[in-house]
Amino acid sequence: MPIIIEEQSNRRRRTILGSIAAGFILAFLIAFWGELRDVLLMIVQIPNGFTSERFDSLLNLGYNLQWFVLFALAWIVLVSFQALLPAGSFADYLRTAYQFVVYIFGQHGPAVFVKDGKVLSTREDVRDGPGVAVVDFNSAIVLEERLPPPGIGSGYDSAMHRFFWSLGLADKAESPRVMGPGIVYTRSRERIRAAIDLRRQFRMVRGINGYSRNGIEVSTNVWAIFTVGQDPDVVQVTYDGEARPENLRVVNFEALPDGHLRMVSMSDELDRQDRQEIHHHFQVLRHTREIYPYKKIDPPNPLPVFDRD
């Protein structure tokens, strides 16, 4: 569930950005008021308003407007490189600049921060539009995209998204999609379906009753420690005697200096379903003769792993 944070800083930020944009427009109007007046008279007094002096004013206005737009774009890109988001690549800088332009014109979507599996947002972060989510290292998010409304615009949106994706300025269109830590750019109709805490989790259920093999009733607490997004633990097994499911055991080895392995422990900790599955897999490998010599298995990666494909 999203946590609503104070909006005072957001109002102050919008006021500053609006004042900067208004200042640019006011400066342009003051600097080129004469040319703007000539162009306005040329439009109002059609066809007699077309004079050589007013046409020169139109050319001068277009030339300076071009440089004004280029200066504004350069300022937006410069700000995006330094102060908006913790971007790390040139493509991220360009995407941040695009988000900045969308924000200035009020067409932006949600801008949220995900910390420890919780979404921190404001009340305005429920609107549709291109958005951004900053996900901390302990979190991941699941994004879901709503279907576009019927019409010609949906095909245009799809074509533009494919174009930006080919340039590396957009993510692959898929729904749902799981995104890990970092900056996540959301599409217009996307919403955060869930936020996941990647830290180690602990759960306990108290007072579980059961019976032992001898029929004695016992009561205990059942607990589990788990994580989301990490590779599963790998256990090494062998048969203690004949190749039958009930003879499967978990073994641990120790590497010796001469390159050999020494078995340091053997335990009976597999449940019945795991035994049956391992035994069936072994029978298939033995039948297809795909059994290879033992080799050391690398430990699982302690960092979260995301399958984005």
Side-chain angles (χ1 to χ4, degrees):
M1 180 177 180
I3 298 177
I4 305 299
I5 59 178
E6 294 295 331
E7 299 185 28
Q8 183 176 1
S9 60
N10 289 334
R11 293 195 188 98
R12 182 171 177 268
R13 188 181 304 112
R14 288 196 299 269
T15 302
I16 294 175
L17 292 176
S19 300
I20 293 174
F24 276 122
I25 296 174
L26 182 60
F28 184 82
L29 292 176
I30 294 175
F32 302 102
W33 172 247
E35 288 80 358
L36 290 171
R37 181 176 56 83
D38 289 342
V39 172
L40 182 61
L41 292 174
M42 184 172 58
I43 296 175
V44 172
Q45 299 176 2
I46 292 177
N48 299 324
F50 284 94
T51 63
S52 59
E53 293 81 4
R54 292 175 181 176
F55 187 74
D56 292 338
S57 297
L58 177 62
L59 294 179
N60 187 31
L61 182 63
Y63 177 79
N64 287 281
L65 181 61
Q66 174 185 352
W67 282 104
F68 178 81
V69 172
L70 291 177
F71 175 78
L73 292 177
W75 175 78
I76 290 173
V77 172
L78 181 63
V79 173
S80 302
F81 268 56
Q82 296 181 353
L84 293 182
L85 293 172
S89 64
F90 184 74
D92 285 339
Y93 289 133
L94 294 181
R95 298 181 71 174
T96 301
Y98 170 73
Q99 293 288 340
F100 189 26
V101 173
V102 172
Y103 185 86
I104 291 176
F105 287 98
Q107 302 300 315
H108 63 92
V112 301
F113 182 69
V114 182
K115 182 178 181 181
D116 296 336
K118 298 179 180 179
V119 180
L120 307 178
S121 61
T122 62
R123 289 182 177 87
E124 73 166 5
D125 292 328
V126 295
R127 56 189 299 171
D128 290 339
V132 62
V134 180
V135 185
D136 76 336
F137 188 74
N138 294 326
S139 308
I141 56 175
V142 180
L143 297 171
E144 183 181 57
E145 187 172 18
R146 300 189 302 274
L147 293 176
I152 301 177
S154 60
Y156 173 77
D157 292 342
S158 300
M160 291 301 298
H161 182 271
R162 287 194 295 268
F163 174 72
F164 283 115
W165 178 65
S166 64
L167 298 178
L169 300 178
D171 297 321
K172 184 179 179 181
E174 54 183 356
S175 180
R177 60 179 179 137
V178 179
M179 304 300 293
I183 303 175
V184 180
Y185 299 94
T186 60
R187 296 189 288 274
S188 298
R189 292 178 296 273
E190 274 189 324
R191 62 175 180 174
I192 298 179
R193 183 67 175 178
I196 302 129
D197 191 344
L198 299 180
R199 296 175 298 176
R200 181 171 294 184
Q201 305 292 314
F202 176 81
R203 299 291 186 272
M204 175 182 288
V205 179
R206 301 179 182 275
I208 300 298
N209 298 322
Y211 292 89
S212 66
R213 293 180 179 178
N214 299 326
I216 301 174
E217 184 177 4
V218 295
S219 178
T220 185
N221 298 328
V222 178
W223 57 271
I225 298 177
F226 62 93
T227 57
V228 179
Q230 291 186 350
D231 289 335
D233 294 332
V234 178
V235 296
Q236 303 178 90
V237 298
T238 188
Y239 289 101
D240 185 14
E242 298 181 8
R244 298 192 302 180
E246 59 270 19
N247 292 335
L248 281 169
R249 301 291 185 268
V250 176
V251 294
N252 293 308
F253 295 103
E254 177 186 12
L256 299 178
D258 57 1
H260 290 80
L261 296 175
R262 180 174 60 189
M263 187 176 64
V264 295
S265 66
M266 176 183 291
S267 58
D268 183 9
E269 57 183 81
L270 298 173
D271 58 27
R272 184 177 62 84
Q273 293 181 348
D274 289 339
R275 294 175 190 272
Q276 294 292 342
E277 183 177 355
I278 296 172
H279 179 71
H280 174 73
H281 185 65
F282 172 73
Q283 295 297 328
V284 172
L285 294 179
R286 186 167 64 175
H287 179 73
T288 57
R289 301 182 183 276
E290 295 183 6
I291 300 178
Y292 303 98
Y294 173 84
K295 65 178 182 178
K296 184 180 178 181
I297 301 177
D298 296 329
N301 188 358
L303 301 178
V305 177
F306 300 94
D307 185 5
R308 298 188 178 184
D309 296 330

